[in-house]
Amino acid sequence: MLPDYETETDRVHRHLKEDLTRTERLRNWWWYHRFYLLLALLVLLLLGYFAWQDAGVDDPDYHVAWVGVTQLTDEEADTLTQRLAAFGEDVNGDGQVVVQLHQYCIDLSSNGEGQSGQEVLAAYNGLETDFSVYQSGIFLLEDPESFQATYGALCRLDGTLPEDDESAETLTVAWEDISTLGALPVDCDCYLGFRGVWDDSGTGEARLEDDWALWCNILNSVE
């Protein structure tokens, strides 16, 4: 019978077991595996960093979209969301009421003419995405007629779906007509409307349920 053939790898392993001390074996193991350990440590650090970043971001209770020519400043946006948040509740249980404002700055009456091409494209794409994923329920509009003529996205104030040719006048309410909201922190006209849902699957209603509750609180605050 032929003797067992010992490969170089087998010889090295036997040598490690028989001739090296425990400390030497640990040093040898570290030498061959240090790059994998460092890579794993880097991955863990990155995961920890992203988890820390996520923990520092407020989880919004409500989503509201601003559609108009005017770009809101941070101060104007903060004031506006605080006014709206006063009518909301802590939906996600994190101890605060947060309204996330999504701005889509488009001059719908001129199809974006006179604005930067990249800015307009980003705004249109962002708004289309908002519609497709049912992100925002409440819409704040500078030009509700052009918005409704372009997208036909609004429902009536009571949530029922409008006729095809129904005017935006019956689908929105002016900010100034809701005295409990206080003065609009922006030097322009603003109208509030709610996103209509034509999807029979129930997905839209489920995703906009919290925004609808905020909408009802706002409208019901007017005596």
Side-chain angles (χ1 to χ4, degrees):
M1 178 181 294
L2 294 174
D4 293 336
Y5 177 74
E6 185 178 43
T7 66
E8 181 64 20
T9 301
D10 294 335
R11 188 189 67 77
V12 171
H13 287 170
R14 179 174 56 79
H15 171 68
L16 291 175
K17 292 180 180 179
E18 296 176 355
D19 301 334
L20 298 183
T21 65
R22 184 171 184 273
T23 301
E24 290 173 331
R25 288 197 298 270
L26 287 174
R27 289 176 179 173
N28 186 78
W29 184 90
W30 163 254
W31 175 259
Y32 285 102
H33 296 86
R34 66 188 189 281
F35 294 113
Y36 300 104
L37 290 175
L38 291 174
L39 180 60
L41 179 61
L42 178 61
V43 171
L44 289 175
L45 289 175
L46 287 174
L47 291 175
Y49 172 76
F50 288 126
W52 176 80
Q53 288 282 77
D54 290 340
V57 176
D58 294 331
D59 182 18
D61 299 288
Y62 308 99
H63 291 269
V64 174
W66 170 271
V67 183
V69 181
T70 304
Q71 174 72 41
L72 303 182
T73 65
D74 291 341
E75 182 179 357
E76 291 170 339
D78 288 342
T79 301
L80 195 151
T81 53
Q82 289 172 12
R83 298 273 177 84
L84 297 173
F87 296 89
E89 299 177 353
D90 179 15
V91 176
N92 54 31
D94 63 357
Q96 55 187 337
V97 181
V98 178
V99 175
Q100 178 74 46
L101 183 69
H102 307 278
Q103 293 196 54
Y104 308 111
C105 295
I106 315 170
D107 185 358
L108 292 173
S109 64
S110 63
N111 294 321
E113 294 181 7
Q115 295 179 274
S116 167
Q118 291 184 342
E119 292 178 355
V120 172
L121 181 61
Y124 273 109
N125 289 339
L127 186 54
E128 290 289 351
T129 301
D130 196 308
F131 287 141
S132 65
V133 300
Y134 296 99
Q135 180 172 250
S136 304
I138 297 175
F139 279 77
L140 307 179
L141 309 166
E142 281 195 81
D143 185 358
E145 289 292 345
S146 295
F147 177 83
Q148 186 63 7
T150 303
Y151 294 106
L154 300 176
C155 63
R156 298 190 181 101
L157 302 185
D158 62 1
T160 57
L161 298 180
E163 302 294 334
D164 292 338
D165 58 349
E166 192 162 343
S167 170
E169 184 178 354
T170 64
L171 309 178
T172 59
V173 56
W175 179 287
E176 62 182 12
D177 290 341
I178 305 178
S179 58
T180 51
L181 283 173
L184 182 69
V186 188
D187 187 20
C188 66
D189 294 328
C190 177
Y191 300 83
L192 292 82
F194 199 84
R195 158 81 187 272
V197 177
W198 282 262
D199 179 10
D200 294 332
S201 68
T203 300
E205 287 89 346
R207 292 184 177 176
L208 301 179
E209 181 178 2
D210 294 330
D211 290 344
W212 176 253
L214 178 63
W215 172 256
C216 291
N217 289 344
I218 294 172
L219 295 187
N220 293 336
S221 68
V222 181
E223 297 181 358

